[in-house]
Amino acid sequence: MICNHEGLIKSADGTELYYQSWRPENEVRGIVAIIHGLGGHSGVYLNIVKHLIPNNYAVYGVDLRGSGKSPGQRAYINCWNEYREDVGSFLEFIATSNVGTPLFLFGHSLGGLTVLDYVLRSKGEKPKLNGVIAFTPALGESAVSPITILVGKILSKVYPRFSMNTGIDMKLAARDEKVIAYHQQDKLRHTVGTARLSTEFSSTLAWVQAHASHIDIPFLMMLAGADKVTLPEGSRKFFEKITFADKELREYAESYHELHEDYGYQEVLSDLIDWLERHL
């Protein structure tokens, strides 16, 4: 599927971020704004697009700084606030262009942590969200080795831009070998992390876990039970801490990390649409 539109938006510090959007021919009933994970980009969610468009949802995706077609060293940030401002600028752009249309924020993997950090720290700020979706979020232990994490912590202050391979086996992404092959051929993907990202991730994860009970927005969490990239236990613990009544957890026991591409993704996306329909 070819995207309907692509362009650039400016983040708070002037960084120009690449985005793309897909819209149905009929009137848009709701919008899903997607934040990708580490090494990903806005173009890896076409299965989601193909399911949402016929139901008259528009989909917007952005490449965060250091990812995809956006500028910056791969996987490098000075501080996590840069990601938060990227998300805020992205949402403000969407809301300004679609006044009054229900808006949902969707975060995958590291993007799941990113959107939760944004929602928890941006209370009362525009734009209004109708709900947030954490999709196999990075809320606990991951496939990155403890040694790699330790190296990142040591170097963060003296050589923050130090870059190294995350060591995550691409075969952990999905059970479908065609999906793995597609990922391997995707030139916009990367498999690196940086020292500064390592420490910023750790501190943000701890803060978000500590503030889970402050979630006060309709919340959907979708987990892959066999996920070895972002282990689901941390996400389950986060979900249990939420006291807001409108929360829902869907878990797919045999699925791998890329829920939207792995075997059985049709059920996953059908459940996603069902939840969206109930929250328009």
Side-chain angles (χ1 to χ4, degrees), residues 13-76:
D13 64 355
T15 301
E16 291 192 324
L17 306 173
Y18 172 83
Y19 82 93
Q20 49 187 325
S21 63
W22 300 261
R23 302 177 68 88
E25 293 181 359
N26 299 324
E27 182 178 354
V28 175
R29 299 169 60 236
I31 299 170
V32 176
I34 298 180
I35 305 299
H36 62 79
L38 178 63
H41 58 87
S42 59
V44 301
Y45 301 99
L46 293 186
N47 278 349
I48 294 176
V49 173
K50 291 174 182 177
H51 275 70
L52 290 181
I53 291 295
N55 289 276
N56 294 319
Y57 289 89
V59 181
Y60 282 72
V62 67
D63 292 357
L64 299 175
R65 63 187 63 214
S67 302
K69 295 182 180 180
S70 290
Q73 179 184 340
R74 303 296 87 169
Y76 178 76

Side-chain angles (χ1 to χ4, degrees), residues 60-241:
Y60 282 72
V62 67
D63 292 357
L64 299 175
R65 63 187 63 214
S67 302
K69 295 182 180 180
S70 290
Q73 179 184 340
R74 303 296 87 169
Y76 178 76
I77 49 172
N78 292 296
C79 61
W80 197 270
N81 185 54
E82 292 178 337
Y83 279 161
R84 189 159 57 249
E85 290 178 344
D86 287 354
V87 173
S89 299
F90 177 51
L91 292 177
E92 191 64 39
F93 167 77
I94 296 172
T96 302
S97 307
N98 301 272
V99 176
T101 305
L103 177 59
F104 300 89
L105 181 57
F106 177 110
H108 174 220
S109 195
L110 189 69
L113 176 64
T114 306
V115 302
L116 290 172
D117 173 73
Y118 170 82
V119 168
L120 287 167
R121 293 185 189 265
S122 304
K123 290 182 178 295
E125 297 180 12
K126 294 182 178 181
K128 178 183 180 298
L129 294 172
N130 289 68
V132 62
I133 300 127
F135 199 76
T136 60
L139 291 174
E141 294 184 11
S142 71
V144 180
S145 76
I147 294 176
T148 300
I149 294 173
L150 178 61
V151 170
K153 289 181 178 179
I154 293 172
L155 293 177
S156 181
K157 291 184 178 180
V158 296
Y159 189 5
R161 292 184 178 273
F162 178 77
S163 177
M164 62 189 300
N165 197 296
T166 60
I168 298 176
D169 186 348
M170 198 166 285
K171 292 182 180 179
L172 297 178
R175 294 165 293 171
D176 188 341
E177 293 183 2
K178 292 180 181 178
V179 173
I180 303 302
Y182 179 74
H183 285 198
Q184 291 172 334
Q185 295 166 9
D186 186 351
K187 295 182 179 179
L188 288 178
R189 282 186 178 272
H190 70 78
T191 59
V192 301
T194 59
R196 179 57 53 80
L197 179 63
S198 175
T199 53
E200 288 295 303
F201 166 78
S202 296
S203 60
T204 301
L205 171 59
W207 189 91
V208 166
Q209 281 283 5
H211 291 79
S213 62
H214 295 176
I215 289 284
D216 59 358
I217 184 174
F219 180 72
L220 172 64
M221 177 176 280
M222 307 187 86
L223 300 180
D227 195 342
K228 297 294 190 296
V229 177
T230 57
L231 278 61
E233 186 57 32
S235 294
R236 296 187 193 114
K237 290 179 179 178
F238 179 88
F239 185 83
E240 290 171 1
K241 298 174 189 174

